[in-house]
Amino acid sequence: TRRAFVHGLALAGQAASSSACRAALEQGGAELLVHVFSFVTDAWTLRSAACVCPEWRRLLDRGAGPATAALWSSAWLTAPRGRGWACLRLTRPGDRLRLLCGVHATPLELCHALEVEAERAGLSTLSGPLTLRGSAASSRVGVLRGVALSHFYTPAVTLLGGTWRLEHCSIESSRPKHRACAGVVLRGGARLELVDCTISTASSAVQICDAECSLLARGTTFRNVRTAVFAERGGRITVTGCAFETQLGSDVALRLSADTRGAVRGNTASGPRALWGRLLPPAGVEVDTAAGGEVDQLPL
């Protein structure tokens, strides 16, 4: 009986100490609580903490203040390999997703702007089709960084709206000796920015299917593609500082419809054809005379 009584006192003391610590964390504006959780970079841990009780849920709400919003914006949600994309169900625009190293074969669809990054650049591969959506009214920009994508029968990336930026990504055919279908397809007024990417071994590197779509490409390499940028229904393009490496005589870097608008400056082209092949640049596209900027002469 005495031993049970002492044990009961010890438990009561622990409970009192725990209550005192919790009261210290929650008192005032909960600055101490937010400061403690600022060292947590895993989004799942933050979600678990917010489920402890209604008070912590209120204190850790994204809209509670700038400090809490910054806490959530700096946390990463980890997508394990081979377990599907159930982790995306609770994401909000602006959340950050980290892809573990390895091959992710499950089709991935992102319905709002997220920041997606490979755990190690080039070692996280998406072999299933990637679909990116977004709202034209939103100012958020979705980011895909350091991810390798492979495809063949279906486009590697399909944009159906919103604004997305691909940084340091590579897109290539899953059959290295055979060209795959289009690498990136833009529809529904989507806006795409390619920064220091590589797209190779495809029929078209980027296919623009909508006059409301836009493409900004900087420092990107297009290699062994039948057409690097194909704008079949107009649209707006800006291509600067890119490299085009064609292999066959029928390959052409830019194939743009007459109502395409934009600018093509400071690019280089190597291979049998120049940037335009035997096609004249559209009147609405500004061009320079840098290497590869000329048009092949028509036969007499």
Side-chain angles (χ1 to χ4, degrees):
T1 304
R2 181 181 177 183
R3 186 176 300 174
F5 178 72
V6 172
H7 182 66
L9 289 178
L11 291 178
Q14 292 177 6
S17 176
S18 176
S19 298
C21 292
R22 183 166 175 176
L25 289 173
E26 296 176 356
Q27 68 182 356
E31 291 86 357
L32 179 58
L33 179 71
V34 175
H35 177 70
V36 169
F37 280 109
S38 67
F39 294 94
V40 177
T41 58
D42 180 64
W44 284 118
T45 303
L46 289 179
R47 294 181 189 277
S48 299
C51 294
V52 167
C53 65
E55 182 66 15
W56 279 28
R57 182 174 183 178
R58 181 185 65 82
L59 295 174
L60 292 176
D61 186 84
R62 299 169 188 252
T68 310
L71 186 151
W72 283 98
S73 63
S74 62
W76 288 91
L77 184 65
T78 302
R81 181 168 53 90
R83 297 186 183 179
W85 304 105
C87 59
L88 298 176
R89 295 174 183 172
L90 300 177
T91 59
R92 299 184 183 182
D95 281 357
R96 310 170 81 186
L97 176 68
R98 177 173 286 128
L99 300 179
L100 294 183
C101 294
V103 178
H104 301 261
T106 306
L108 173 59
E109 181 173 350
L110 302 180
C111 296
H112 44 246
L114 298 175
E115 183 178 354
V116 183
E117 182 175 275
E119 183 182 24
R120 296 181 62 183
L123 297 182
S124 299
T125 302
L126 293 177
S127 61
L130 172 62
T131 304
L132 304 177
R133 300 178 183 269
S135 172
S138 175
S139 60
R140 289 187 180 274
V141 179
V143 179
L144 192 70
R145 183 182 301 113
V147 178
L149 302 101
S150 66
H151 70 115
F152 193 78
Y153 289 113
T154 59
V157 184
T158 302
L159 281 76
L160 299 179
T163 303
W164 291 86
R165 180 169 66 248
L166 272 61
E167 301 176 358
H168 307 286
C169 293
S170 64
I171 301 175
E172 61 184 6
S173 171
S174 59
R175 303 180 185 181
K177 295 183 179 181
H178 302 278
R179 289 178 175 176
C181 65
V184 182
V185 175
L186 277 65
R187 302 180 187 274
R191 298 180 294 273
L192 172 65
E193 182 178 357
L194 295 175
V195 180
D196 298 327
C197 295
T198 300
I199 305 179
S200 61
T201 323
S203 58
S204 298
V206 180
Q207 185 174 349
I208 302 174
C209 304
D210 191 331
E212 302 301 321
C213 294
S214 63
L215 168 68
L216 170 61
R218 294 184 288 112
T220 294
T221 300
F222 303 92
R223 182 182 301 118
N224 187 22
V225 293
R226 185 179 304 162
T227 304
V229 179
F230 178 31
E232 55 182 323
R233 296 181 180 178
R236 178 174 294 276
I237 70 166
T238 302
V239 182
T240 59
C242 295
F244 299 87
E245 303 175 10
T246 59
Q247 291 192 359
L248 304 178
S250 58
D251 296 343
V252 61
L254 302 172
R255 189 182 300 273
L256 311 178
S257 64
D259 52 350
T260 305
R261 310 172 308 280
V264 178
R265 301 191 184 96
N267 304 286
T268 60
S270 61
R273 292 297 180 95
L275 283 179
W276 306 97
R278 299 190 177 190
L279 302 175
L280 292 174
V285 176
E286 300 178 11
V287 299
D288 59 10
T289 56
E294 71 279 358
V295 180
D296 288 355
Q297 294 294 324
L298 295 175
L300 297 176

